[in-house]
Amino acid sequence: MAKRSSLSIRIVEGKNLPAKDITGSSDPYCIVKVDNEPIIRTATVWKTLCPFWGEEYQVHLPPTFHAVAFYVMDEDALSRDDVIGKVCLTRDTLASHPKGFSGWAHLMEVDPDEEVQGEIHLRLEVLPGARARRLRCSVLEARDLAPKDRNGASDPFVRVRYKGRTQETSIVKKSCYPRWNETFEFELEEGATEALCVEAWDWDLVSRNDFLGKVVIDVQRLWAAQQEEGWFRLQPDQSKSRQHVKGNLGSLQLEVRLRDETVLPSSCYQPLVQLLCHEVKLGVQGPGQLIPLIEETTSTECRQDVATNLLKLFLGQGLAKDFLDLLFQLELSRTSEAWEGAGRIGLGGGGGEGILVAGMRYLHGVLGPIINKVFEEKKYVELDPSKVEVKDVGCSGLHRPQTEAEVLEQSAQTLRAHLGALLSALCRSVRACPAVVRATFRQLFRRVRERFPGAQHENVPFIAVTSFLCLRFFSPAIMSPKLFHLRERHADARTSRTLLLLAKAVQNVGNMDTPASRAKEAWMEPLQPTVRQGVAQLKDFITKLVDIEEKDELDLQRTLSLQAPPVKEGPLFIHRTKGKGPLMSSSFKKLYFSLTTEVLSFAKTPSSKKSALIKLANVRAAEKVEEKSFGSSNVMQVIYTDDAGRPQTAYLQCKCVNELNQWLSALRKVSINNTGLLGSYHPGVFRGDKWSCCHQREKTGRGCDKTRSRVTLQEWNDPLDHDLEAQLIYRHLLSVEAMLWEKHQELSGGAEASTVPASPGKAPEDSLAQLLRVLRDLHEAHSSSPASSPTSEPNCLLQLQT
């Protein structure tokens, strides 16, 4: 069993930001830090004071994190990026909002004395003395201190204060991971109430020293304990009264939800999983009614999440198609209007999320080249006469300004070319479509045709499929390629307009070119020939897509399962340390890397032959490297053992912080079950005869910082976590248990209103009674689980005085 925490983050938009550029505007982006470690960077929105991002992320992290901070930055090409302001949400704040924090938050001024990070290792003792007891404070080491100097490090020392007396450690030059091992003593009077203050500072030769953080120790608690040792988190100096600037720095709209889950061993969830699978196999024709009952008792606001969790669970059990088929039948039983019913089936019940879960790689294969071409061309495209701006287009080949008619015709030609290329790519992709998606569409097509068999409803089954395929899958990805991982940055205004018009055209094709879709925006008429041709192409594509027998489907699924797709791939710069010379950024060589569940390999180009670099079973840690180590940012290290068992380190540089965290996340997830994973590591490099981070001279000695193997990002290509999905379903069922009991009472005639259904034995139970019994057993398992108790900060044995 394990305690897991995750943050669901949506950075929506900003408003009324201050202008940082001489043009009277800004180029804002956001950096998200968890306990001062950068995890996410949004795309930059250029030349605006009211940016819209709309970016969503999910971060898995240890339950002991303290805060998540959102920094709004202004990107500058020629100088250091400006900090506009920040919003900080503590773990306690997020825990007090079970449904998540949602809304606008004022940006606060960034105060250097509050930008502290890291931990300090102290040993505290109360000793007997000749006249009075003595308080001994041993300052051992610190880790992850804030870099305050331009070289990317600090020159830290520690100041220990008690009852007006101050003592200081020596200064450790150029290190954020210093080691002191120095001891100080103070006279301690019985009943003394004054606190012991331990402050970390960065020494500066010509300017004032920079504050790095402090720890305040309650001496009375120490007196009772006599001796304590541990790592203490450095805190900001809150003794000074500061007036934070509020309002004039603008605001940030956020949606942040903290979810803590205690995940039990798989065996505990088997009764629940087996019961739900049995119900899906029975379908609506049999006695199984649990799925309709769960749907009935689930509120509208969380129905989508619950359906998605169930779908992921059934994907792992090979029943995704059967589950979606059950949802289709339930929805069709409620509708009498063919056109409305077809669209509602396609967009409701968690089906769209299911297509995303199973078909993202397919989406990338079909859409990727078209999206890339739109971004590369950067053509001005507009079909709405009321929005045409001739001056933006420049001059034609005759060296005269283009007329409005010429702009519209050129735009129509460009969009027809993109739409035609997309439809052609789609028609060629039948065999590439995932088997589970094909089987789901086949069932949907068949169910709708059975429900509306008349000739007047000939297009309804096609519209049911295209409601998934076009309206929920392709069109949103075209409009927001960044959110579907098709591009690393948001589109500029011109490209966004092209993508929007292309998405509208795809929607018209998906609606089978109905009169209603044509009348909505008459200025889309120039695309009608391509749309009509696209309707015929799309119908032919769907006919081929759903024409798959059960045996063929299984054979296709087996074929696809044998093709292990890469977990992550892309260009990286590699360097391996050799000799005693300095490590410069120019020593990195660009190669194309591919990560599978077995090996990290590289090649000169994506198409050239790959060479294995690291066997995944040999990975011991994947961590960041201090910026000062190579004079470059976004460098990671993969610590592993070679075939002879000797420790090795590969240094890989990424082009941005997002790519860095994505690679770290992927490496950690594929090696999470390795034996011999490290608990500590060196964030620096071994240069000359010592580590650059902590100056330790033993190359194979214990690392000076803790590894962060549990910090990962949720991505679309992650393997399913069946136990977590089962836990989330259990958690939801627990929240509606009262309604399930009422339903059980109603079905049993009120005789068993207050009793837990008995275990199976003499009389068979109905499915609802079995579910209630399973929930009871899971509740008891959680109650007896050690992981369900409140999590405390490890190795921090003393409470801070407030």
Side-chain angles (χ1 to χ4, degrees), residues 30-89:
C30 286
I31 288 284
V32 182
K33 295 183 179 181
V34 176
D35 287 348
N36 297 298
E37 182 176 355
I39 297 295
I40 296 162
R41 184 201 194 278
T42 69
T44 301
V45 183
W46 305 99
K47 298 179 182 178
T48 180
L49 300 180
C50 296
F52 177 81
W53 291 287
E55 299 189 20
E56 298 182 20
Y57 303 90
Q58 188 165 17
V59 184
H60 300 284
L61 65 172
T64 52
F65 84 97
H66 296 83
V68 54
F70 300 82
Y71 291 78
V72 179
M73 312 288 292
D74 169 57
E75 184 167 334
D76 288 318
L78 301 177
S79 61
R80 197 182 192 95
D81 293 352
D82 298 314
V83 181
I84 294 176
K86 77 168 184 177
V87 172
C88 187
L89 299 174

Side-chain angles (χ1 to χ4, degrees), residues 653-702:
Q653 184 176 6
C654 307
K655 59 184 175 182
C656 63
V657 68
N658 277 1
E659 188 181 67
L660 171 65
N661 284 309
Q662 287 163 11
W663 273 102
L664 285 172
S665 179
L667 284 161
R668 288 167 179 172
K669 281 181 283 198
V670 295
S671 60
I672 189 64
N673 294 318
N674 285 4
T675 56
L677 290 176
L678 298 178
S680 63
Y681 79 109
H682 288 284
V685 294
F686 196 80
R687 181 182 292 119
D689 60 351
K690 63 183 177 181
W691 287 98
S692 63
C693 44
C694 60
H695 302 172
Q696 188 181 164
R697 296 187 179 276
E698 188 179 351
K699 187 174 183 179
T700 58
R702 181 177 62 89

Side-chain angles (χ1 to χ4, degrees), residues 100-175:
F101 172 88
S102 179
W104 289 93
H106 289 293
L107 290 171
M108 311 296 279
E109 183 181 18
V110 175
D111 189 320
D113 283 348
E114 290 192 355
E115 297 300 293
V116 304
Q117 67 183 61
E119 299 168 303
I120 188 167
H121 188 187
L122 303 174
R123 183 188 301 120
L124 303 159
E125 301 169 276
V126 175
L127 304 173
R131 292 180 298 175
R133 290 181 179 266
R134 303 189 64 79
L135 170 60
R136 175 180 292 173
C137 175
S138 298
V139 182
L140 305 178
E141 57 188 323
R143 62 190 180 196
D144 195 28
L145 298 180
K148 294 291 185 178
D149 298 337
R150 300 181 71 178
N151 60 12
S154 289
D155 302 319
F157 69 94
V158 172
R159 184 176 292 158
V160 184
R161 292 189 290 108
Y162 182 66
K163 294 187 68 174
R165 187 181 168 201
T166 301
Q167 300 186 61
E168 294 182 354
T169 67
S170 57
I171 299 167
V172 179
K173 296 290 186 70
K174 298 179 182 179
S175 176

